[in-house]
Amino acid sequence: MRYLLALPFIGLLWVPFYNHELPALFGFPFFYWYQFLWVPLTALIIWLVYRNDLKKGVE
Amino acid sequence: MDGQINWTALSVFVFFFALVTVMGFWASRWQSGKSNKGQHLDEWGLGGRNFGTWITWFLVGGDFYTAYTVIAVPALVYAVGAYGFFALPYTILVYPIVFVIMPKLWHAAHKAGHVTAADVVYGRYSSRKLEFAIALTGVFATMPYISLQLIGMEVVIKALGISGELPLLAAFVILALYTYSAGLRAPALIAFVKDLMIYIVVLVAVVLVPMKLGGYGVVFASASDAFAAKGGATGLTLKSAQILPFATLALGSAMAAFMYPHTLTGIFAAKSADTIRKNAVFLPAYTVLLGLIALLGFMAYAAHIKVENNNDVVPALFNALFPSWFSGFAFAAIAIGALVPAAVMSIGAANLFTRNFWKPYVNPEVTPAGEAKVAKIVSLAVKLGAVVFILFLPTKFALDLQLLGGVWILQTFPAVVFGLFFGWFGPNALLAGWAVGIAGGSWLAYADGIKPVHTLHFGGDSYTVYTGLLALLLNVAVAVVIQLLSGGRSKQQLSADAAS
């Protein structure tokens, strides 16, 4: 489960993947809305790991 | 900024400033119920170690996202475009790191009553030298950071049409007095007001400004045109040579962020490790805010704002597009946004001085009440130092030092964090790594003309990376080599660690 925490690092540090203007969304170039998207995604991932930790009773 | 005093804006500004001043003094009685230890450093310097999820969220958010962020991130985005956005991945990546590391650090600190990172390091390695190195780095990295808060405040006071340094001085005297009397409770309480105000300002700005300017498409298009005209390393996306610096700056800054004394103070003040884990889930909400604030830099192009100093871009945008009462409200939010982190920073530095310089070297017999007394006085001295610094030295110097501070604080990462996960490194190896990292990082930054990135050449290829991360690699490599040479830690030492 904890390995999920690596996903934001891959998604955000692999910059060539998102260094483009298209496709745009609501006027936002891809470069921007992609990075914004990782904010809720990261929160969700951390929450999933947190919930799993709770079940396993991690101190 | 024509030097005319904007009275409406000024009255709104003064009203909110007065409000938080009253709150700051009242704060000493807030949240001090159940386990009050009276005149104890835990009470003044960590708010009784009793902050739950909500207060921690506001406090950590309040001291991590500072007034300077609100001014400087849009300024950088205004100046260079996409490259300035490294702040967004940086403030996302910081939370998985917090989630994994900080609950462990909290446990280590809570069990033994540690107040600072250097305490934790001494507790684990029993090395006064390593403790001293970590504490010294913390103090030196924090001082210019406090000065930057003052710069943020100076910029908005100037935008109100007031020149001269007297208002800044007055604001800091007030800050100093209520931090002295209420300790960490003051910024924790004020953080509520600050955040509420900043959220209102930003939400209004990101909805209304594009409406006035013709939508986000127009905002990005006009920024794109401006960058195309300007040329150089600017644009809506990164030039290929900027990709590596962008990624390494984001990663390195994320690793450094919670090594600072002020962010750690927020962590140590939490009630439980669970509080910290929950905060790692909810703190990214602030990052949305930061990203939206960064976009103000692009909006300035659509609004045809031209400034001589990039730092003036946000105040100029508000002055141009909003009625004065709202500008006053926004500027108050930014100025109060400087008070919260400045207070926490001075408390963090004061805790370090008291626990890691005063206690071991001046008065080992000091009582917790005596510690609180020393810390209170040091917090005054730290703020005075920051004010003197900003009044007599050029702003650029504070910026340069803060940049170096980031490189320095990152070098404490191995000593503070590695021991939480494995016990292989001994104190001498970590100390050697720290020394090489600090010296190497400072030298590289200095040789590059105080730039945050350094270019390496391998054969025909060149790679530009964040200097702090480069110094950290050097740091860890030296620590590993020294540890291998000295033959690993003996069984005796390891069991001594386990017992402590």
Side-chain angles (χ1 to χ4, degrees):
Chain A
M1 244 345 225
R2 293 215 149 201
Y3 294 109
L4 283 182
L5 293 176
L7 289 177
F9 290 88
I10 298 167
L12 286 162
L13 294 179
W14 184 24
V15 182
F17 177 74
Y18 62 88
N19 191 26
H20 311 286
E21 291 199 30
L22 296 173
L25 185 72
F26 308 120
F28 281 65
F30 184 62
F31 181 79
Y32 299 91
W33 68 258
Y34 174 84
Q35 291 186 61
F36 271 106
L37 185 67
W38 270 105
V39 179
L41 274 180
T42 305
L44 179 73
I45 288 169
I46 297 177
W47 179 71
L48 287 173
V49 177
Y50 169 74
R51 235 185 30 167
N52 191 55
D53 278 2
L54 270 190
K55 261 189 236 154
K56 287 194 299 188
V58 172
E59 245 269 282
Chain B
M1 263 139 282
D2 45 11
Q4 285 286 313
I5 294 183
N6 186 336
W7 289 106
T8 321
L10 184 63
S11 335
V12 176
F13 181 91
V14 168
F15 169 79
F16 280 99
F17 211 86
L19 178 77
V20 297
T21 305
V22 174
M23 286 179 72
F25 283 108
W26 178 74
S28 58
R29 283 186 283 162
W30 176 65
Q31 282 281 323
S32 65
K34 305 153 241 171
S35 55
N36 199 328
K37 299 181 198 162
Q39 294 296 318
H40 193 289
L41 184 60
D42 274 10
E43 287 300 320
W44 182 84
L46 292 178
R49 292 186 196 259
N50 204 23
F51 290 159
T53 306
W54 278 105
I55 303 173
T56 303
W57 189 80
F58 279 106
L59 180 65
V60 172
D63 68 27
F64 184 43
Y65 299 87
T66 67
Y68 188 70
T69 324
V70 176
I71 297 293
V73 173
L76 191 62
V77 167
Y78 172 79
V80 298
Y83 191 51
F85 247 77
F86 85 85
L88 200 61
Y90 149 39
T91 52
I92 297 174
L93 294 181
V94 81
Y95 298 111
I97 296 177
V98 166
F99 182 85
V100 172
I101 295 174
M102 291 305 148
K104 279 195 189 291
L105 197 63
W106 182 90
H107 272 298
H110 192 75
K111 218 166 37 180
H114 297 319
V115 178
T116 68
D119 280 353
V120 176
V121 167
Y122 181 71
R124 170 162 293 276
Y125 298 104
S126 307
S127 160
R128 284 281 176 218
K129 280 185 233 152
L130 191 59
E131 175 200 21
F132 186 82
I134 302 307
L136 197 69
T137 315
V139 171
F140 269 88
T142 311
M143 291 293 282
Y145 220 142
I146 302 176
S147 299
L148 288 195
Q149 303 313 313
L150 285 167
I151 292 174
M153 209 186 267
E154 221 173 11
V155 167
V156 291
I157 292 176
K158 198 173 81 185
L160 287 167
I162 304 171
S163 50
E165 264 121 9
L166 218 59
L168 193 67
L169 224 60
F172 255 65
V173 168
I174 294 170
L175 165 73
L177 290 178
Y178 68 61
T179 315
Y180 182 89
S181 74
L184 193 63
R185 288 195 173 89
L189 186 61
I190 293 171
F192 283 94
V193 183
K194 172 224 159 185
D195 281 357
L196 204 65
M197 290 175 75
I198 295 249
Y199 269 101
I200 292 172
V201 169
V202 172
L203 289 178
V204 168
V206 297
V207 173
L208 283 189
V209 175
M211 264 168 66
K212 286 191 184 193
L213 301 174
Y216 275 101
V218 176
V219 166
F220 281 105
S222 41
S224 177
D225 293 344
F227 289 133
K230 209 193 289 189
T234 62
L236 283 190
T237 54
L238 299 168
K239 303 277 178 277
S240 56
Q242 289 177 315
I243 288 177
L244 201 56
F246 181 90
T248 51
L249 270 170
L251 178 65
S253 310
M255 289 173 74
F258 276 75
M259 295 295 118
Y260 279 103
H262 58 279
T263 39
L264 280 179
T265 300
I267 294 291
F268 289 152
K271 189 161 57 180
S272 69
D274 191 56
T275 301
I276 297 165
R277 287 199 191 92
K278 273 190 209 145
N279 264 285
V281 176
F282 296 118
L283 274 167
Y286 274 103
T287 300
V288 177
L289 198 68
L290 178 88
L292 294 174
I293 292 172
L295 290 179
L296 294 175
F298 288 153
M299 293 176 195
Y301 285 110
H304 307 290
I305 303 279
K306 284 213 167 52
V307 290
E308 278 172 39
N309 186 339
N310 291 334
N311 275 346
D312 292 331
V313 81
V314 169
L317 186 68
F318 282 130
N319 269 338
L321 294 179
F322 289 111
S324 0
W325 67 267
F326 190 76
S327 302
F329 181 78
F331 297 161
I334 297 173
I336 295 164
L339 293 182
V340 173
V344 186
M345 284 167 196
S346 72
I347 290 169
N351 287 346
L352 275 174
F353 180 88
T354 310
R355 296 282 298 196
N356 310 111
F357 301 141
W358 187 269
K359 192 173 182 195
Y361 303 107
V362 181
N363 181 8
E365 307 300 317
V366 66
T367 60
E371 285 181 346
K373 209 176 284 171
V374 174
K376 281 172 137 182
I377 293 166
V378 173
S379 83
L380 289 183
V382 166
K383 274 180 288 244
L384 192 71
V387 172
V388 170
F389 192 85
I390 210 80
L391 291 187
F392 295 104
L393 288 169
T395 307
K396 175 152 188 334
F397 199 57
L399 286 168
D400 290 349
L401 270 183
Q402 203 270 336
L403 219 150
L404 277 174
V407 173
W408 294 337
I409 203 74
L410 189 53
Q411 306 314 314
T412 65
F413 191 91
V416 175
V417 175
F418 286 2
L420 299 171
F421 293 91
F422 47 91
W424 186 70
F425 285 104
N428 292 332
L430 290 169
L431 188 65
W434 170 86
V436 171
I438 295 268
S442 311
W443 182 78
L444 281 180
Y446 180 77
D448 291 333
I450 315 286
K451 275 214 227 76
V453 291
H454 180 75
T455 306
L456 295 168
H457 296 278
F458 293 111
D461 299 328
S462 63
Y463 301 91
T464 307
V465 292
Y466 176 42
T467 309
L469 214 53
L470 216 55
L472 181 65
L473 287 178
L474 209 63
N475 176 340
V476 175
V478 167
V480 168
V481 169
I482 301 268
Q483 193 60 47
L484 283 174
L485 289 178
S486 63
R489 303 195 73 189
S490 68
K491 283 223 171 75
Q492 214 175 1
Q493 278 170 316
L494 283 175
S495 59
D497 281 351
S500 71

